[in-house]
Amino acid sequence: IGALQAQLALAGYATVRFNFRGVGSSEGASYLPRGPQRECEDVRDVARWLAATRKHHGLPPLESIWVAGVSYGSAIGSAAAGMFDEFAGYVAVSYPASYLWYCTNMQGDAYLEKARTTKPKLFLWGEVDIFAGKKVMEDVVKSMPAPTASYSVPLLDARLGHYFRSTSDLEFLTAKTLAFFREHAPTDPLPDASPPPPPVAGAAKTKPKGKVKR
């Protein structure tokens, strides 16, 4: 997700990346044993924090907020996008369709239903994946209402087939995601930071008008 965040930022999108509670440097404990409702609310709270922070610093409000997640993050992010009005849509990378029951404490069908929103959504996945078999992923995508986009690659990382790691896979991931956002959430181009062109050889020099006081 870090590579995807970096490319979105370079394309002019404001981005925020966080770990779920109890993961990495995030405080608290996972609510997974009781179901991931609180994790979905955490995603919403990050969106509200982002809006409040921009307002506090006098920045203009964002036109829309989207969720992008990988694996467990895509299961929670897609459900949160369907549950809360703060979000305009989502990107689900390596959605763990075959293990959704585990990710949601036996509530897989309910959380898949939350992800079936009419908001724009994008699924990116590998066809050989220990956590998301090809048939089950095809069924998940077919069950989604429009607008839904889906793209897959034959193989991902050699160990689990679950993560986009190689250079070609990451290029595929970022290209499809950027195209999706440019269609549904276009942003203004960044100002040109290139240096000015060199002077043309033989160009006439102009003298300043007026008198120069010494």
Side-chain angles (χ1 to χ4, degrees):
I1 197 68
L4 183 57
Q5 179 195 20
Q7 289 300 315
L8 287 170
L10 288 172
Y13 293 92
T15 65
V16 174
R17 180 184 177 188
F18 75 100
N19 274 330
F20 288 108
R21 53 178 58 218
V23 178
S25 300
S26 294
E27 297 179 353
S30 173
Y31 271 61
L32 180 58
R34 286 170 279 179
Q37 171 73 25
R38 191 64 189 94
E39 271 82 352
C40 290
E41 293 171 356
D42 287 342
V43 178
R44 176 206 60 194
D45 291 345
V46 170
R48 291 180 176 177
W49 170 85
L50 175 60
T53 300
R54 290 182 65 85
K55 182 178 181 180
H56 174 76
H57 290 286
L59 297 173
L62 297 172
E63 294 183 6
S64 59
I65 300 178
W66 299 68
V67 185
V70 176
S71 193
Y72 176 75
S74 69
I76 301 304
S78 60
M83 292 168 63
F84 302 116
D85 293 337
E86 279 82 358
F87 302 110
Y90 65 83
V91 176
V93 180
S94 297
Y95 188 82
S98 298
Y99 277 77
L100 195 58
W101 59 272
Y102 175 78
C103 294
T104 58
N105 193 28
M106 307 300 291
Q107 301 175 53
D109 290 342
Y111 277 81
L112 181 58
E113 186 60 33
K114 298 177 193 297
R116 292 189 179 110
T117 174
T118 55
K119 299 173 182 179
K121 46 206 164 297
L122 170 65
F123 288 85
L124 298 166
W125 49 286
E127 295 178 3
V128 179
D129 187 339
I130 190 173
F131 298 114
K134 181 179 179 180
K135 177 63 167 61
V136 68
M137 272 305 305
E138 290 176 341
D139 290 343
V140 165
V141 172
K142 288 178 182 177
S143 74
M144 294 289 164
T148 301
S150 173
Y151 302 95
S152 64
V153 295
L155 293 172
L156 290 175
D157 66 294
R159 190 161 61 95
L160 295 175
H162 191 54
Y163 296 106
F164 289 75
R165 297 187 189 276
S166 70
T167 300
S168 60
D169 287 342
L170 288 172
E171 289 175 348
F172 172 90
L173 172 71
T174 55
K176 295 298 185 185
T177 302
L178 284 171
F180 174 79
F181 278 118
R182 284 167 178 158
E183 176 183 359
H184 296 287
T187 186
D188 294 332
L190 294 174
D192 186 7
S194 58
V200 179
K205 296 183 178 180
T206 58
K207 295 183 179 180
K209 296 181 179 180
K211 295 181 179 179
V212 179
K213 294 183 179 180
R214 298 184 182 274

